[in-house]
């Protein structure tokens, strides 16, 4: 018995023509927003993109996009995909294992309830977001689940820095594109 969740075919070619080291945070944010947009345009999942970087050097370790519908796995969020790919590539479940550089997760929006936990368990030391808040739910209809008001504090307390609102408008544009595309909004608890 095994579980297989795969990234879409276009990602490899897309990443091959991009730099493998991105020192600038603004550029890292641009990449995940671009991944979210391409995922909508290719019709290969929801409007979410994520990446794991070596925090200080900017070396790109992995990328992820939302794959819930194509893979029939409700947990196949962009953050899950990027973290799993980074961990399997590095051969460890803990991205803060001794000897490893600090890692940063970059996402086009604040993680949902599930991915919030996944970020904590992953060992990343930094979380950078294009934006956060209820706008994603208002625009797309996705349910992000319950998140405590002190979510940033709780991450900080566990040694994870949070860099929020790095390019809110760019992320929102993709959510509007997704809404206007009329694609499936999966939401198991929706009325
Ligand atoms: Zn999620």
């Amino acid at each position: 018995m095994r579980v297989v969740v795969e990234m879409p075919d276009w990602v490899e070619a897309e990443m091959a023509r991009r730099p493998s080291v991105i020192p600038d945070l603004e550029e890292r944010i641009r990449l995940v927003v671009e991944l979210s947009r391409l995922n909508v345009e290719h019709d290969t999942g929801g409007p979410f993109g994520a990446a794991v970087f070596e925090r200080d050097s900017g070396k790109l370790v992995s990328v992820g996009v939302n794959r819930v519908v194509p893979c029939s796995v409700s947990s196949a969020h962009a953050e899950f995909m990027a973290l799993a790919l980074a961990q399997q590539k590095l051969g460890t479940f803990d991205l803060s294992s001794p000897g490893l550089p600090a890692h940063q997760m970059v996402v086009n929006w604040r993680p949902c309830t599930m991915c919030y936990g996944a970020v904590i368990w992953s060992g990343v030391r930094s979380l950078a977001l294009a934006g956060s808040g209820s706008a994603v739910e208002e625009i797309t209809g996705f349910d992000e689940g319950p998140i405590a008001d002190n979510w940033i504090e709780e991450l900080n307390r566990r040694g994870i820095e949070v860099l929020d609102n790095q390019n809110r408008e760019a992320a929102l544009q993709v959510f509007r594109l997704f809404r206007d595309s009329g694609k499936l909004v999966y939401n198991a608890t929706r009325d």
Side-chain angles (χ1 to χ4, degrees):
M1 293 182 192
R2 55 202 288 261
V3 175
V4 178
V5 279
E6 285 175 317
M7 291 285 282
D9 291 339
W10 56 264
V11 173
E12 208 166 338
E14 185 61 38
M15 297 315 296
R17 58 183 194 78
R18 290 170 180 270
S20 57
V21 179
I22 307 179
D24 185 39
L25 179 59
E26 206 174 306
E27 290 295 324
R28 296 181 200 177
I29 294 282
R30 211 188 305 278
L31 170 67
V32 297
V33 172
E34 187 65 4
L35 288 171
S36 73
R37 187 179 64 77
L38 288 167
N39 207 34
V40 174
E41 289 180 355
H42 286 280
D43 199 10
T44 46
F48 300 98
V52 174
F53 289 91
E54 287 185 8
R55 183 191 63 193
D56 300 331
S57 71
K59 183 178 168 196
L60 181 63
V61 181
S62 65
V63 297
V65 292
N66 178 287
R67 297 289 287 155
V68 169
V69 174
C71 295
S72 299
V73 173
S74 61
S75 314
H77 291 189
E79 299 93 321
F80 169 89
M81 298 297 290
L83 287 171
L85 286 166
Q87 290 165 339
Q88 300 241 308
K89 183 174 178 177
L90 298 173
T92 173
F93 57 86
D94 181 0
L95 296 176
S96 56
S97 294
L100 287 183
H103 286 91
Q104 178 180 64
M105 156 128 277
V106 184
V107 199
N108 70 318
W109 204 253
R110 182 187 66 191
C112 73
T113 303
M114 176 187 74
C115 295
Y116 182 74
V119 166
I120 294 173
W121 313 139
S122 71
V124 297
R125 286 283 157 249
S126 175
L127 175 65
L129 310 170
S132 66
S134 58
V136 62
E137 296 179 313
E138 286 152 17
I139 296 172
T140 64
F142 282 115
D143 181 358
E144 295 295 293
I147 295 270
D149 290 339
N150 64 344
W151 63 279
I152 293 181
E153 230 169 81
E154 285 294 330
L155 290 177
N156 292 163
R157 207 161 65 75
R158 289 168 170 81
I160 303 169
E161 68 169 350
V162 177
L163 308 165
D164 192 11
N165 288 317
Q166 299 297 311
N167 194 343
R168 218 180 149 75
E169 192 42 44
L172 293 176
Q173 271 174 23
V174 177
F175 295 148
R176 291 187 201 109
L177 171 78
F178 180 79
R179 175 195 60 197
D180 297 344
S181 74
K183 294 198 175 79
L184 176 67
V185 175
Y186 51 86
N187 184 339
T189 58
R190 214 174 182 193
D191 294 334

